Structures are given as C-alpha cells and as structure tokens.
Amino acid sequence: MKKSLLIPREQYLSAGVHIGMTSKTADMNKFIYKVRPNGLAVLNVGMLDSRIAAAANMLANAKDILIVAKKDVAQSPAKKFAAFIGARSVIGRFMPGSLTNPTYENFFEPEIILLTDPAIDKQALKEAVQIRIPIIAFSDTFNNTDFLDLVVPCNNRGKKSIALVFWLMAKLIMEKRNQKFELKPEDFGYEEGEERSEMRHAPRQQNRPMRDGGNRDNKRRNNNRDRR
C-alpha cells in the first residue's frame, strides 16, 4: 500500500517540483526517480514529500531560524515564508561574517538554517558549517550535498516549485504549532503558466567548504550521509 502524500501528486507535478536537470551529481542519485531519453533527470516526488515533512518538523520546534535566498526566483517566497513562521531571512547577498563575526552590525546566531540552493548560497553554507548548526537545503540534481543535514530534493530553479514547497512547509509548521493557516500557494508567488526550460544546464558547482577539525568533521559528514 502506497503512503499517502501531504498534497495530491498532481499538485506537485503541476508545479514542476520533480523536474531536475541534465546535470546530475552522485550525491543526488538516490533522489532521482528516472532519467528521460533526453538526459533530463526526474526527481522522486515521494521522497520530496517525506523530506518536506521532516524539514517542517525540524523548523517547527526551532526558535532562531535563518532562511537564505540569494537567487532572484527564490527571494519573494523565502521572505514570505520567513515572515510567516517568525524566522529571520537574508534575501539577496549574504555578507561574509554574518554568522561568524560578532562585530558585524547584522551578526546573527541561528540554531538552524534553510538554504534555497547550496550552490548559490555557498557563503551561508560555509559559515553554517563553521558554527556547526543543522543545515537544510533545497537541492536539485546538480547540487553537492556535503555538510547538509537534510536534503529537500526539488526543482530549486523554478518559481512555481519553490513557491509550492515554501507554502507547504509553512502550512505544516503552523499546523504543528496549532496556529491558523489560511494562505494559498499564490500568496508565496505561485503563478500558473510559469515553468522553467527542461534543458537548461546547471550553473558552475561551488567549491565544497571545509570544516575546522579536518578528519573529525569528515567522519561526521560520512555518518550523516545516510540521514540526508
């Protein structure tokens, strides 16, 4: 018997959350449902569904949450999501030292961080690694997932996809907090007719950040691989 999804499968598919890229990393192989004849990877909707639930569980119980969104397509829904769940957000450029330099004017010490793309949000990823906080990230087929504590495997380059995932996470979080939720996906920027080109190639991948502590942290990364 198949496990029921949080929302109808058709709603996921309509948003294009499953549409990956032609570029694929070994890290993301386990989240790929199939590869089309044209080389385009299709992500597993069931795995995305369970990871959205897991992310919501982690965030619902956290107090100091940071949401990071540098890419244009993610900025509006990320800002809406952060404001609605009571999180702090960094929209646009992430200034070096935001999490590691106490003398910086906008220094912040979150207990958990959510990235909309670990490749684009690489500075935030690097600093989150340094201060050793849990890291959640929307990850597409081209992403490396080193140092991520929870991968949310989805199309992180499509406006509809990002809006739907943020909306659903907000809905789950508010339900877990026993708070009222009446917003719709459209309130997070979901627009009918928006869809990314299926044959776009991924941007240049980021250099993988290194933790202080070398071998000790590499061991932690390996131990976390199954959890991701």
Side-chain angles (χ1 to χ4, degrees):
M1 182 177 178
K2 288 186 177 180
K3 180 182 177 181
S4 60
L5 301 177
L6 297 168
I7 58 175
R9 183 177 297 272
E10 293 71 21
Q11 192 170 4
Y12 278 128
L13 300 182
S14 178
V17 298
H18 62 303
I19 301 175
M21 305 288 284
T22 54
S23 298
K24 300 172 282 291
T25 63
D27 291 350
M28 291 298 294
N29 274 340
K30 68 179 180 180
F31 301 110
I32 295 175
Y33 173 67
K34 67 178 181 179
V35 178
R36 294 176 179 172
N38 62 4
L40 187 77
V42 177
L43 290 161
N44 187 309
V45 171
M47 294 185 76
L48 166 61
D49 186 83
S50 64
R51 294 306 179 97
I52 289 175
N57 282 333
M58 293 174 68
L59 295 172
N61 298 316
K63 294 182 180 180
D64 297 315
I65 304 169
L66 180 61
I67 313 299
V68 178
K70 183 177 181 180
K71 61 170 66 175
D72 291 342
V73 72
Q75 291 183 10
S76 179
K79 186 175 182 179
K80 180 78 173 184
F81 175 77
F84 197 77
I85 69 167
R88 184 163 178 169
S89 64
V90 175
I91 306 300
R93 185 184 179 192
F94 187 93
M95 294 298 294
S98 294
L99 306 184
T100 57
N101 182 4
T103 65
Y104 176 56
E105 180 181 2
N106 294 317
F107 174 73
F108 182 58
E109 295 182 278
E111 62 180 273
I112 190 168
I113 189 170
L114 170 62
L115 312 176
T116 52
D117 185 333
I120 301 298
D121 301 322
K122 59 185 179 181
Q123 181 63 34
L125 172 61
K126 177 181 178 181
E127 296 192 19
V129 165
Q130 291 175 355
I131 64 173
R132 302 171 183 268
I133 60 173
I135 304 168
I136 302 171
F138 296 175
S139 302
D140 211 323
T141 60
F142 64 86
N143 284 119
N144 293 323
T145 65
D146 284 356
F147 308 113
L148 302 183
D149 293 283
L150 182 66
V151 171
V152 179
C154 64
N155 166 359
N156 66 8
R157 298 177 65 80
K159 185 176 181 180
K160 287 176 65 175
S161 174
I162 293 173
L164 183 70
V165 173
F166 269 127
W167 167 78
L168 182 53
M169 287 177 56
K171 179 177 183 293
L172 296 175
I173 289 170
M174 300 312 285
E175 288 175 353
K176 292 179 184 301
R177 293 176 177 174
N178 295 316
Q179 296 181 18
K180 193 174 182 179
F181 185 84
E182 296 180 340
L183 298 183
K184 299 178 179 179
E186 289 77 9
D187 295 315
F188 288 77
Y190 186 99
E191 296 178 8
E192 291 296 342
E194 295 284 343
E195 187 174 357
R196 80 174 177 192
S197 170
E198 293 190 351
M199 290 306 294
R200 288 179 63 184
H201 292 281
R204 185 176 180 180
Q205 188 57 255
Q206 80 275 21
N207 292 326
R208 303 188 179 194
M210 294 298 294
R211 291 181 183 268
D212 294 334
N215 293 334
R216 178 181 60 188
D217 293 310
N218 286 335
K219 182 177 181 181
R220 175 176 181 254
R221 180 191 67 185
N222 292 333
N223 289 338
N224 282 344
R225 186 171 294 275
D226 291 338
R227 293 171 54 199
R228 299 196 304 266

